[in-house]
């Protein structure tokens, strides 16, 4: 078994803009090394105006099995691939692209499944929970759909784009509602930041006024490892779920989609 990638290695990319904050390439490459799998994931910083060029190149790389996609490309990627899985079609965003041998690209979305898997692994099953989600972009929409599927009692959506939040709420059913930014989060068992706020290491999406110590607060931002939003939650005694937990929980899903594991 190879201890490092050979010239015959299978390849996947992790694309975003910026990309240096992402946790998945290191996790995938550690798995490949430890399992003796001849494969590698390479992080690539792709600006929005270069996304179509990247997709064209992706189609032509014979030893490439696809790409994992992060902000700001998830919605655009869903519009550019050849097909979408039901999960990606529901939320209009793709965070994984699977490349077929003929170059055909299929978009999938594992953000929500990864987020919920991480919650359950940490002992915070969302069944029956009252959840508040900030951000209805690619990751937020996927997390919202997964929370509904997991059985939350109620899900409230906050987004500066009211139409986007309303459309998502209508697609997900009566337990989901768009709301204005609440003054207090006292009524919520689960509070989630699915925006990029916090990536600068200084900003938080909400002051978490009224947060109960029994609540769980999650973030999709992976760097800093503990965002200002999560630091606030910790100081109030709540359980936290960092963005890296969602990313790492998706690795088994991504490996199977690329055909690298069973």
């Amino acid at each position: 078994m190879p201890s490092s990638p050979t010239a015959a290695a299978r390849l996947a990319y992790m694309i975003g803009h910026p990309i240096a904050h992402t946790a998945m390439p290191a996790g995938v490459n550690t798995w490949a090394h430890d399992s003796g799998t001849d494969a590698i994931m390479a992080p690539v910083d792709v600006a929005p105006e270069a996304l179509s060029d990247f997709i064209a190149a992706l189609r032509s790389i014979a030893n490439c099995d696809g790409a994992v996609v992060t902000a700001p490309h998830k919605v655009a990627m869903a519009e550019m691939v050849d097909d979408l899985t039901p999960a990606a079609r529901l939320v209009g965003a793709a965070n994984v692209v699977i490349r077929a041998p003929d170059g055909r690209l299929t978009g999938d979305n594992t953000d929500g499944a990864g987020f919920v898997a991480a919650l359950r692994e940490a002992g915070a099953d969302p069944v029956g929970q009252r959840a508040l989600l900030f951000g209805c972009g690619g990751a937020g929409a996927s997390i919202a759909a997964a929370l509904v599927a997991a059985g939350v009692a109620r899900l409230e959506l906050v987004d500066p784009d009211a139409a986007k939040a309303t459309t998502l709420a209508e697609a997900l059913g009566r337990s989901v509602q768009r709301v204005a930014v609440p003054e207090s989060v006292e009524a919520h068992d689960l509070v989630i930041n699915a925006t990029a706020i916090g990536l600068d290491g200084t900003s938080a999406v909400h002051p978490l006024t009224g947060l109960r110590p029994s609540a769980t607060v999650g973030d999709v931002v992976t760097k800093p490892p503990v965002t200002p939003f999560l630091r606030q939650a910790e100081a109030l005694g709540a359980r936290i779920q960092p963005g890296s937990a969602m990313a790492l929980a998706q690795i088994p899903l991504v490996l199977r989609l690329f055909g690298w594991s069973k």
Side-chain angles (χ1 to χ4, degrees):
M1 294 186 295
S3 59
S4 60
T6 72
R10 302 306 301 175
L11 173 66
Y13 294 102
M14 174 94 194
I15 73 161
H17 183 67
I19 195 65
H21 63 284
T22 56
M24 189 174 289
V28 169
N29 292 333
T30 297
W31 167 85
H33 178 273
D34 292 348
S35 66
T37 302
D38 197 9
I40 185 170
M41 177 174 281
V44 184
D45 192 330
V46 179
E49 60 270 21
L51 183 59
S52 60
D53 291 336
F54 172 82
I55 292 172
L58 183 65
R59 293 182 186 278
S60 66
I61 301 172
N63 68 324
C64 182
D65 293 313
V68 175
V69 184
T70 190
H73 301 314
K74 296 178 184 182
V75 173
M77 185 64 78
E79 297 170 351
M80 294 182 177
V81 295
D82 302 304
D83 199 8
L84 295 172
T85 65
R89 186 173 293 110
L90 175 65
V91 299
N95 81 309
V96 182
V97 177
I98 304 99
R99 180 190 178 277
D102 63 358
R104 187 172 179 83
L105 304 178
T106 299
D108 201 348
N109 200 306
T110 61
D111 277 332
F115 189 89
V116 169
L119 280 177
R120 287 175 170 154
E121 187 173 338
D125 196 311
V127 173
Q129 299 276 292
R130 296 162 295 176
L132 175 66
L133 175 70
F134 293 93
C136 297
S142 182
I143 291 169
L147 289 172
V148 171
V152 292
R154 182 175 179 81
L155 173 60
E156 295 181 348
L157 306 176
V158 177
D159 195 280
D161 186 337
K164 180 190 294 185
T166 298
T167 298
L168 179 60
E170 291 173 349
L172 294 179
R174 288 183 294 178
S175 65
V176 186
Q177 180 181 8
R178 181 193 70 81
V179 298
V181 177
E183 292 185 6
S184 171
V185 298
E186 184 177 5
H188 301 93
D189 308 299
L190 178 60
V191 184
I192 304 156
N193 173 40
T195 77
I197 296 173
L199 193 58
D200 61 2
T202 60
S203 306
V205 72
H206 191 276
L208 294 175
T209 306
L211 183 73
R212 291 177 286 109
S214 59
T216 299
V217 177
D219 208 324
V220 303
V221 174
T222 55
K223 282 189 180 179
V226 180
T227 61
F229 186 60
L230 295 182
R231 286 202 302 270
Q232 290 175 172
E234 272 192 318
L236 293 168
R239 182 203 311 260
I240 65 168
Q241 176 169 301
S244 58
M246 180 183 83
L248 296 176
Q250 291 182 72
I251 289 178
L253 308 176
V254 169
L255 295 176
R256 287 195 291 271
L257 289 173
F258 290 157
W260 294 1
S261 73
K262 296 181 179 179

